[in-house]
Amino acid sequence: PADHGPAEARAQDAHVLRAIARAWNWRRKLERGEASTIADIAKADRVSDQYVGRTMRLAYLAPDVLEKLLIHRTPPSLSLNELVTASDLPWSDQLAAVFAISNDEK
């Protein structure tokens, strides 16, 4: 399609992709009852519960942000830590914050 550029132009940071995948995996474990708490997940994955809680916030990014990150492979203009923080914003504000675009460009 016309809106998809060459793969090289869409290079995405593997850390971002891995963190989002991990967040969704943990979210699904909680939803399915495979884990009861964040502490259970942390213990099973040998990480801190603070890390699990913080990373899981990526599973609640706005759908349009996830589409740009995962399908279009558009790199965020934020660090991974800042991306986690941006997940706290209302969905309507996340796209502009994550990709540093103005309301006119949306």
Side-chain angles (χ1 to χ4, degrees), residues 18-42 45 51-63 66 70 87 91 94:
R18 241 180 270 125
I20 291 171
R22 187 174 239 190
W24 274 93
N25 181 41
W26 291 337
R27 178 180 171 175
R28 282 191 297 270
K29 283 183 178 185
L30 288 172
E31 289 172 347
R32 290 185 202 137
E34 295 171 15
S36 298
T37 64
I38 287 176
D40 293 340
I41 293 171
D45 284 8
Y51 175 77
V52 173
R54 184 161 172 77
T55 302
M56 271 191 61
R57 290 163 51 190
L58 293 172
Y60 298 94
L61 284 168
L66 288 171
L70 303 175
S87 69
W91 278 5
Q94 286 182 15

Side-chain angles (χ1 to χ4, degrees), residues 64 91-97 101-106:
D64 54 346
W91 278 5
S92 59
D93 298 337
Q94 286 182 15
L95 193 64
I101 57 176
S102 68
N103 288 332
D104 300 335
E105 296 178 73
K106 287 186 196 177

Side-chain angles (χ1 to χ4, degrees), residues 67-79:
E67 179 181 336
K68 284 183 77 74
L69 290 169
L70 303 175
I71 296 172
H72 301 289
R73 303 293 175 128
T74 306
S77 60
L78 306 173
S79 70

